[in-house]
Amino acid sequence: ESTGDKMSAHSEEVEVVRIVGDDSNQLNGETKLLNLAEQVDSAFNKSIHGAIPIGYLAPVSNYVVKLASKILRDVKESKMTMLGLLKQCANAIESRDFASCRVVGADLELYLYNQLKLRGSWPDISFRACYWCASTTASIGHAHDGSFLVAMKYLDRGVILGLNRQELEGFVSYVETFASQMAHGPCLQAVTCTIPDFCDPELQELLACRGLCKPIEFPVNEIPCDGGHIEKMLASGSQTSFVIRRMALEWPAVTKWRAMETLCREHGHRLIPIEVGSMRGGMQEAVVTFRHFIAKYLSASTKKDCWSLLDATNKDNSRIA
């Protein structure tokens, strides 16, 4: 083989190596770019959007991490689904990965809530504590994103199922403030509901005639609302029950709470627990917004001035909550 042929073959080999090297550099560049994009996305997720003030974020994060650590330490590993999601919640909060807070917090909350509905109760108190972590984690994620109405719903669910609001007072108040402002939009659900004024003599007579299926055989003692009678009754040391008439008549709530439109406008977005059904047909628990409760149940009930005991025990009656 001639020297020229050897040089030509060597030149081709070098060229092949050079091409392969260029592909490798291109792949490395793409990998570095993807890694950089992930870092930028992570930094964006942790620092932009709502950016919960550290004075509110630190205590609520500490609460979730401590409670989750206690559960993970004390609970047996047989509950792998619950513990796995709980660990992800704690990791998401510690790393300030708010997108993961929304996802894993919601996943764990839904899993535990379905377990509660399926069984009627949780096997032990660790499930309840785990639910508090889940609902709080999801709320943190949504609050950071500025979705305060959703964040408030997760907190309401947690409080309904035993979460101690006082331990998270700062964060709950922070979310409440902005959720209330967002709820006062221009297109709220129309609700017209005014509670009857039972100081009206006609309604009092109607209540006396139709409100009871039979007269009270052993009526409770009644005393007028004035200091003298009340003090005399209390000083006597009597163990007999008594009713103080007209004591709350001047309270602002008596007038304000009759107009449900006002309460609906201020608190309609909040979740509340109710029981729906009848005493004969059975009662069923439900969690609904306060606005939904007023519109579907309370508003319908006020169209009838007086409900009798038969109304309450009618198993086909779905309007009573």
Side-chain angles (χ1 to χ4, degrees), residues 143-155:
H144 174 80
D145 197 36
S147 302
F148 291 102
L149 286 173
V150 181
M152 193 72 253
K153 287 184 177 182
Y154 277 110
L155 286 177

Side-chain angles (χ1 to χ4, degrees), residues 30-289:
E30 290 178 355
T31 302
K32 291 179 180 178
L33 185 60
L34 288 174
N35 291 337
L36 182 60
E38 289 179 0
Q39 294 174 14
V40 171
D41 182 66
S42 178
F44 179 81
N45 174 52
K46 295 175 182 178
S47 59
I48 313 297
H49 300 311
I52 304 170
I54 192 65
Y56 301 128
L57 179 61
V60 71
S61 298
N62 190 46
Y63 169 84
V64 174
V65 172
K66 281 189 173 181
L67 184 57
S69 299
K70 184 179 184 303
I71 297 171
L72 292 169
R73 183 177 63 253
D74 298 342
V75 176
K76 297 179 180 179
E77 294 184 358
S78 57
K79 305 167 185 175
M80 292 304 296
T81 301
M82 182 181 81
L83 296 180
L85 289 171
L86 180 61
K87 189 172 183 179
Q88 291 182 51
C89 286
N91 290 340
I93 287 191
E94 287 181 326
S95 62
R96 296 181 63 218
D97 187 347
F98 297 103
S100 293
C101 286
R102 294 194 298 271
V103 175
V104 297
D107 286 348
L108 181 55
E109 188 272 343
L110 181 61
Y111 170 77
L112 292 171
Y113 191 74
N114 286 337
Q115 291 290 312
L116 179 62
K117 291 179 64 178
L118 181 64
R119 301 180 180 183
S121 63
W122 282 313
D124 55 66
I125 59 174
S126 66
F127 280 74
R128 185 181 297 272
C130 195
Y131 186 86
W132 300 340
C133 289
S135 58
T136 306
T137 300
S139 180
I140 291 172
H142 283 286
H144 174 80
D145 197 36
S147 302
F148 291 102
L149 286 173
V150 181
M152 193 72 253
K153 287 184 177 182
Y154 277 110
L155 286 177
D156 281 340
R157 286 180 178 272
V159 171
I160 288 171
L161 291 173
L163 175 64
N164 187 353
R165 176 196 166 111
Q166 292 182 349
E167 295 190 51
L168 308 175
E169 184 62 36
F171 177 70
V172 174
S173 298
Y174 167 74
V175 174
E176 272 183 338
T177 299
F178 290 100
S180 178
Q181 293 176 5
M182 295 178 72
H184 292 177
C187 301
L188 293 176
Q189 176 182 345
V191 174
T192 302
C193 177
T194 302
I195 304 299
D197 182 5
F198 286 97
C199 291
D200 185 341
E202 293 184 4
L203 284 181
Q204 289 182 352
E205 182 179 353
L206 182 65
L207 181 62
C209 295
R210 298 176 51 193
L212 301 174
C213 58
K214 61 180 181 179
I216 299 176
E217 297 180 5
F218 305 99
V220 178
N221 293 331
E222 298 183 10
I223 64 173
C225 179
D226 63 68
H229 285 85
I230 297 176
E231 290 178 4
K232 182 178 179 180
M233 180 65 74
L234 294 176
S236 68
S238 173
Q239 300 297 314
T240 305
S241 301
F242 61 91
V243 174
I244 304 174
R245 292 295 182 188
R246 307 178 72 83
M247 183 174 183
L249 189 62
E250 303 299 326
W251 290 3
V254 174
T255 303
K256 182 179 180 181
W257 291 1
R258 285 187 57 233
M260 289 289 105
E261 297 92 336
T262 302
L263 289 178
C264 186
R265 182 173 63 253
E266 295 178 0
H267 309 291
H269 61 287
R270 302 298 296 272
L271 292 178
I272 59 171
I274 65 172
E275 290 189 353
V276 183
S278 68
M279 289 185 282
R280 288 185 179 175
M283 306 297 289
Q284 183 178 5
E285 294 182 353
V287 177
V288 299
T289 62

